């Protein structure tokens, strides 16, 4: 089950629309957070939503519902509540915030979903991944360091690599172009459904084969 979702990014006005903040842009696109009460703690901002309430919010937004249009039932084996976190340590030290919350609420690495941008996937691509390599992502590297394992879940949004040989750091800290922005927004629409299923159902592994790599 998933108990903690960490959206990786950099805080501050200058970074809010950049490629490295794809996860925060996704969080901002989710209707479930419209009335959420975010608190400042654990070197970040976090909120807590009970899973029955999450199901109601996803249903109201038209993301996931039962055949009769009612809220999707929450599995008895799913978490009773989900913690959502936006670390404010800057990307390279994201793990400090994640481990602070995880330790406090006794959340295991395998109960953690990290949402992040991914250079190794084409722009607009959506991918679910369990454990494995970090792809050179400093936010994931920080999370692995504090957890002492890479065994956590990742929801990845492809941003592609620069075509002109530009510096990677400059690229990920630059705003999305119009074409890539459109692709990302379409990926967000598909990701909302996957996101809802991951949080309301007990076994994320059942979605791996279908969501290893999905283009917008």
């Amino acid at each position: 089950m998933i108990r903690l979702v960490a959206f990786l990014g950099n805080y501050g006005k200058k970074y809010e629309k950049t490629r490295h903040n794809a996860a925060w842009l996704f969080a901002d696109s989710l209707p479930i957070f419209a009335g959420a009460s975010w608190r400042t703690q654990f070197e970040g901002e976090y909120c807590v939503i009970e899973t029955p309430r999450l199901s109601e919010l996803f249903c109201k937004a038209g993301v996931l519902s039962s055949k009769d249009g009612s809220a999707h039932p929450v599995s008895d084996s799913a978490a009773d509540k989900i913690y959502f976190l936006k670390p404010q340590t800057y990307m390279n030290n994201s793990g400090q915030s994640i481990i602070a919350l995880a330790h406090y609420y006794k959340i295991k690495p395998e109960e953690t979903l990290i949402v992040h941008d991914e250079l190794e996937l084409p722009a607009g691509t959506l991918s679910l991944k369990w454990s494995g390599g970090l792809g050179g992502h400093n936010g994931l590297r920080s999370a692995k360091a504090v957890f002492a394992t890479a065994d956590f879940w990742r929801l990845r949004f492809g941003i592609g690599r620069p075509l002109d040989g530009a510096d990677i750091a400059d690229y990920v800290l630059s705003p999305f172009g119009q074409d890539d922005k459109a692709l990302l927004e379409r990926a967000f629409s598909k990701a909302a459904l996957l996101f809802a299923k991951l949080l309301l159902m007990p076994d994320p592994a059942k979605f791996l084969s279908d969501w290893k790599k999905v283009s917008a």
Side-chain angles (χ1 to χ4, degrees), residues 137-153:
H137 196 291
N138 288 334
L140 295 181
R141 185 177 290 118
S142 179
K144 180 183 178 181
V146 297
F147 277 140
T149 180
D151 290 346
F152 46 82
W153 292 92

Side-chain angles (χ1 to χ4, degrees), residues 7-22:
F7 300 97
L8 301 192
N10 291 309
Y11 72 94
K13 196 94 177 150
K14 66 183 288 189
Y15 298 114
E16 63 184 12
K17 302 296 184 182
T18 63
R19 290 177 170 86
H20 233 6
N21 274 34

Side-chain angles (χ1 to χ4, degrees), residues 10 47-48 52 60 71 78 81 111 168 184 196 213:
N10 291 309
C47 69
V48 188
K60 185 177 180 181
K81 63 183 68 171
E111 297 173 328
I168 294 297
L184 191 71
K213 184 178 178 182

Side-chain angles (χ1 to χ4, degrees), residues 120-206:
E120 304 305 327
L121 293 174
T125 303
L126 166 68
S127 170
L128 177 65
K129 182 179 179 180
W130 160 254
S131 190
L134 309 179
H137 196 291
N138 288 334
L140 295 181
R141 185 177 290 118
S142 179
K144 180 183 178 181
V146 297
F147 277 140
T149 180
D151 290 346
F152 46 82
W153 292 92
R154 304 97 182 267
L155 179 58
R156 310 185 295 166
F157 288 100
I159 61 172
R161 284 185 168 273
L163 300 177
D164 54 4
D167 180 76
I168 294 297
D170 290 340
Y171 176 73
V172 298
L173 296 178
S174 65
F176 286 97
Q178 284 301 114
D179 290 345
D180 285 353
K181 183 180 178 182
L183 287 171
L184 191 71
E185 289 173 352
R186 288 203 290 272
F188 286 172
S189 180
K190 291 186 177 182
L193 175 59
L194 170 60
F195 194 67
K197 290 180 176 180
L198 288 172
L199 302 187
L200 300 178
M201 300 179 189
D203 185 12
K206 70 186 297 182

